[in-house]
Amino acid sequence: MNTATAQAPVPAAGAAPHPNQFALLRQRRFAPFFWTQFAGAANDNLFKFAFTVMVTYQLQVAWMPPAMAGLVIGALFILPYLLFSATSGQLADKCDKRSLILFVKWLEIGIMLLATWGFFTANVVVLLACTFLMGLHSTLFGPVKFAYLPQHLDERELTGGNGMVEMGTFVAILLGQVAGGLVVDIPAIGPQAVGFSCVALAVIGRLVAHAIPASPASAPELRINWNPFSETWRNLKLAHGNVVVFRSLLGISWMWFFGAVFLSQFPSFAKEVLHGNAQVASLLLVVFSIGIGAGSLMCEMLSRRHVEIGLVPVGAIGMTVFAVDLYFASRGLPPAGNLTLGQFVGIAAHWRVMADLALLSLFAGLYSVPMYALIQLRAQPTHRARIIAANNILNALFMIGSSVIAGALLKAGATIPQIFLLVGVANALVAGYIFLLVPEYLLRFVAWIATHIVYRFRVRGDEQIPVSGPAVLACNHVSFVDAVLLMAASPRPIYFVMDHRIFRFPVLGWLFRLSKAIPIAPQKDDPAVYEAAFERAAQVLREGDLLAIFPEGGITRDGTLQPFKGGIMKVLERAQADGVQPPVIPMALTNLWGSFFSRIEQGNAMVRPFRRGIFNRVGLNVGAPLPAAQVRPALLQQRVAQLLTA
């Protein structure tokens, strides 16, 4: 069964519709949570970066040379993700998420008080222990963070909410690192000021968290398995049970692998390749963070406020293109020595490098946000936090793997631009492999291209398409791409009943086979295909999925609505025999007649591609659902006809 149908996310009671994702910052169900996670991410990075700078430039620690400081601190911070993510996922499913967030914020205050003492006494061991504890704090918060959103945002808000969180996280990382570097460098009192700043941020986070609304446990009966190793394995098996979700977890983990390669190499890239000073390295981080934030925020606009995984291939393509171009942009730069920020920006060749970094990270935002939203939407609510915990485990493993592989390549003599090139090429191969394993990404990509580039597509009434449970979508049939347009309008996969002859078309046939469309033939022509089609349609509805039918029985040859045939009644009778009463959603595609894919040329299609120019405006009107018991072909045709003129 498609787990999208298991339970739809329900927003908090009284949630008001909003014009865009920024309006969520005025609503209690989102704003306190957003600023709580923002303060936590900023505090993590302020502490880590200040500590790294202190042991690199200000203290002499014999057993931890400056070159190793960043690696040791980073490894200690990420270690709890491997050890305790499974446990934190269980806690987030079992406990009220607000209560767990408040506990985590109290823990953060305690850790930062201990760290303040460590900064005052310059005790590196205590600060290393606090690094591990802050990693534990983030590990506990991670599953709560992503399980909270689908509990308070509906499907139309999930992409925008995730985009805001992703943007906020990277801005917080950036501000935290900048503040950490500046504060620790204050003469005489730098380390002490860092301690006070960390405590202040922790207290602010706790105060803001108090306004987070109650978030009841999704699995209060869950018994906690405190063994992190057996539970980690169990979580990975749990995630593996849903193919689309698990492979999306792998896709997100690959994005963290990809991003970690670039982020870890920025200091060396700035110094050895771009010939810049530390300010140039900071500029690269700023550009990268702004790009991620911009891409994350663009997702809601580009997805028409649905969970649109068609953006994932768009993001993957951009990541590869600009990673490869970064390699070429980095070759042959004029030799220079320790350029200041002003000198670096004054060289025209460096602007191409910065543009590549900005666009690369922007497309990474387009890639990651829909994947996060898909996981939240498709994972069973009772297991959602544990699925997110499995994601955090995989992310940590992939990030460790990226460090090992990048280090091995450098040791083997590869240059940093060559590593960027290899990662860009590998991204194309990995993304292509994931999209072939999960064809839904590819199908949604084709639908996104069709509705944003080939056509200007407008949907009215899409809130009538149910986000959970079985339903039959009944639409007029105007062109060969009707199914692609319906696919783009629905946040969930649709199984289409289609004329078996369309599968003979080279590209469309492959596309519809990939989407698991159901071929149907007239009973007199092929009784076996006819019966198999109705049995498969009944199975789709039994499993709680969406079934789409074109009741006219074929594409119109004159642009008018043809009489509806009785096949839909047979589908509903089969469903009723299985104890399923699916609503029937009438739909009408508008302004498609006369387009390239319609049969306006004496019954033929695809003859004059520019008959109506390019960027044709087409639409889909979705009507109110009809109860299955009331449906008759004539009534359904009447409803679709009314939608055609709406």
Side-chain angles (χ1 to χ4, degrees):
M1 175 179 172
N2 184 345
T3 54
T5 66
Q7 183 177 333
V10 179
H18 60 275
N20 56 55
Q21 57 203 338
F22 294 102
L24 288 170
L25 290 174
R26 298 193 296 271
Q27 300 189 21
R28 186 186 167 203
R29 60 194 172 115
F30 183 80
F33 164 78
F34 175 84
W35 291 114
T36 299
Q37 67 86 30
F38 186 94
N43 213 8
D44 281 344
N45 287 276
L46 190 156
F47 168 76
K48 281 193 304 174
F49 196 74
F51 180 31
T52 304
V53 170
M54 191 173 82
V55 295
T56 302
Y57 294 102
Q58 299 176 5
L59 297 178
Q60 299 297 321
V61 183
W63 49 269
M64 190 170 69
M68 292 295 295
L71 278 175
V72 171
I73 292 169
L76 270 177
F77 187 82
I78 206 170
L79 182 59
Y81 282 90
L82 294 175
L83 296 178
F84 303 118
S85 282
T87 304
S88 66
Q90 293 178 90
L91 291 171
D93 275 334
K94 183 177 178 61
C95 304
D96 180 283
K97 293 173 184 61
R98 178 182 185 271
S99 300
L100 194 53
I101 290 172
L102 295 180
F103 168 77
V104 170
K105 301 316 288 184
W106 280 120
L107 177 64
E108 183 184 358
I109 292 173
I111 296 168
M112 290 295 95
L113 286 170
L114 179 61
T116 300
W117 181 73
F119 279 118
F120 266 80
T121 59
N123 192 320
V124 173
V125 174
V126 168
L127 291 172
L128 287 173
C130 289
T131 301
F132 179 85
L133 290 172
M134 283 302 285
L136 175 62
H137 149 272
S138 296
T139 300
L140 290 170
F141 190 74
V144 181
K145 176 169 79 170
F146 287 107
Y148 174 92
L149 289 175
Q151 198 167 350
H152 291 271
L153 305 181
D154 66 25
E155 186 274 331
R156 291 173 63 86
E157 298 169 320
L158 209 48
T159 295
N162 274 281
M164 291 293 290
V165 169
E166 190 86 346
M167 176 276 297
T169 299
F170 274 89
V171 171
I173 289 171
L174 175 63
L175 294 178
Q177 292 194 356
V178 170
L182 292 174
V183 174
V184 79
D185 204 34
I186 297 174
I189 62 166
Q192 295 89 335
V194 170
F196 286 129
S197 300
C198 289
V199 171
L201 262 179
V203 170
I204 290 170
R206 171 59 187 84
L207 292 174
V208 174
H210 191 75
I212 292 174
S215 306
S218 54
E221 74 291 344
L222 179 68
R223 295 184 63 181
I224 303 293
N225 173 16
W226 296 102
N227 184 327
F229 302 105
S230 63
E231 188 60 27
T232 293
W233 181 247
R234 188 182 302 175
N235 277 10
L236 292 173
K237 287 175 65 178
L238 186 67
H240 192 265
N242 185 317
V243 174
V244 172
V245 168
F246 183 71
R247 288 172 179 164
S248 298
L249 297 183
L250 294 178
I252 288 174
S253 297
W254 169 256
M255 193 276 292
W256 281 104
F257 179 105
F258 181 92
V261 169
F262 287 88
L263 289 169
S264 65
Q265 296 303 317
F266 278 167
S268 299
F269 182 59
K271 181 179 179 181
E272 298 172 14
V273 179
L274 303 179
H275 315 295
N277 61 12
Q279 291 178 331
V280 173
S282 297
L283 175 65
L284 300 183
L285 178 64
V286 170
V287 169
F288 192 88
S289 300
I290 291 174
I292 285 275
S296 300
L297 293 177
M298 287 173 62
C299 287
E300 185 181 64
M301 175 188 69
L302 294 175
S303 65
R304 295 194 181 95
R305 301 181 68 182
H306 283 298
V307 176
E308 180 51 85
I309 60 174
L311 292 176
V312 176
V314 176
I317 292 168
M319 288 161 67
T320 288
V321 167
F322 293 106
V324 171
D325 192 67
L326 182 60
Y327 163 75
F328 290 105
S330 305
R331 298 176 65 193
L333 292 175
N338 204 33
L339 295 171
T340 65
L341 184 62
Q343 292 169 333
F344 174 81
V345 172
I347 297 174
H350 294 155
W351 282 90
R352 179 179 170 188
V353 171
M354 290 189 290
D356 282 333
L357 271 179
L359 291 169
L360 176 155
S361 56
L362 182 148
F363 280 98
L366 293 180
Y367 175 94
S368 63
V369 168
M371 275 195 171
Y372 275 117
L374 178 74
I375 291 167
Q376 292 163 342
L377 189 65
R378 300 283 179 89
Q380 291 183 11
T382 53
H383 298 81
R384 189 181 283 134
R386 281 169 283 170
I387 298 294
I388 298 298
N391 177 61
N392 291 341
I393 295 165
L394 290 171
N395 290 350
L397 290 172
F398 272 65
M399 290 170 72
I400 291 169
S402 76
S403 298
V404 171
I405 292 172
L409 288 171
L410 287 170
K411 193 171 183 180
T415 64
I416 294 173
Q418 286 171 343
I419 291 175
F420 292 165
L421 174 65
L422 289 172
V423 172
V425 173
N427 180 68
L429 298 175
V430 170
Y433 178 66
I434 291 173
F435 301 150
L436 288 176
L437 287 177
V438 188
E440 191 180 344
Y441 282 106
L442 200 56
L443 292 168
R444 299 291 304 204
F445 173 64
V446 171
W448 189 86
I449 291 293
T451 55
H452 286 76
I453 297 177
V454 178
Y455 293 117
R456 289 290 179 264
F457 187 50
R458 182 178 181 183
V459 183
R460 294 179 179 176
D462 54 338
E463 68 277 2
Q464 304 287 359
I465 302 174
V467 294
S468 65
V472 178
L473 312 180
C475 189
N476 60 325
H477 208 358
V478 191
S479 77
F480 285 97
V481 294
D482 293 352
V484 175
L485 298 178
L486 295 189
M487 202 185 301
S490 170
R492 294 167 55 194
I494 302 174
Y495 295 87
F496 293 90
V497 179
M498 306 182 72
D499 190 317
H500 68 112
R501 290 169 294 188
I502 202 168
F503 291 85
R504 300 172 188 167
F505 286 82
V507 177
L508 289 174
W510 170 79
L511 186 67
F512 295 137
R513 277 190 292 272
L514 201 61
S515 69
K516 299 181 181 178
I518 303 166
I520 189 169
Q523 188 173 23
K524 64 180 185 298
D525 293 348
D526 196 329
V529 171
Y530 178 82
E531 285 301 324
F534 285 103
E535 178 52 39
R536 176 71 182 107
Q539 181 187 358
V540 168
L541 295 173
R542 280 197 306 271
E543 293 178 351
D545 291 318
L546 295 179
L547 179 75
I549 295 176
F550 299 104
E552 294 167 277
I555 299 174
T556 179
R557 291 180 176 272
D558 60 7
T560 62
L561 188 66
Q562 307 300 304
F564 281 15
K565 298 183 178 179
I568 191 168
M569 300 307 300
K570 188 169 183 178
V571 169
L572 295 175
E573 289 166 8
R574 288 279 188 101
Q576 187 174 9
D578 292 333
V580 181
Q581 293 279 349
V584 177
I585 318 296
M587 296 178 160
L589 286 162
T590 61
N591 205 35
L592 261 173
W593 181 249
S595 70
F596 178 49
F597 295 102
S598 68
R599 284 177 155 168
I600 195 170
E601 304 289 347
Q602 290 80 48
N604 297 312
M606 296 173 276
V607 176
R608 293 172 57 192
F610 302 111
R611 158 184 280 276
R612 283 173 39 180
I614 57 175
F615 307 132
N616 298 166
R617 293 187 178 276
V618 300
L620 175 69
N621 295 332
V622 184
L626 289 169
Q630 296 181 13
V631 173
R632 297 292 181 272
L635 173 63
L636 192 58
Q637 182 184 359
Q638 180 186 354
R639 292 292 180 89
V640 172
Q642 290 170 350
L643 290 170
L644 280 170
T645 58

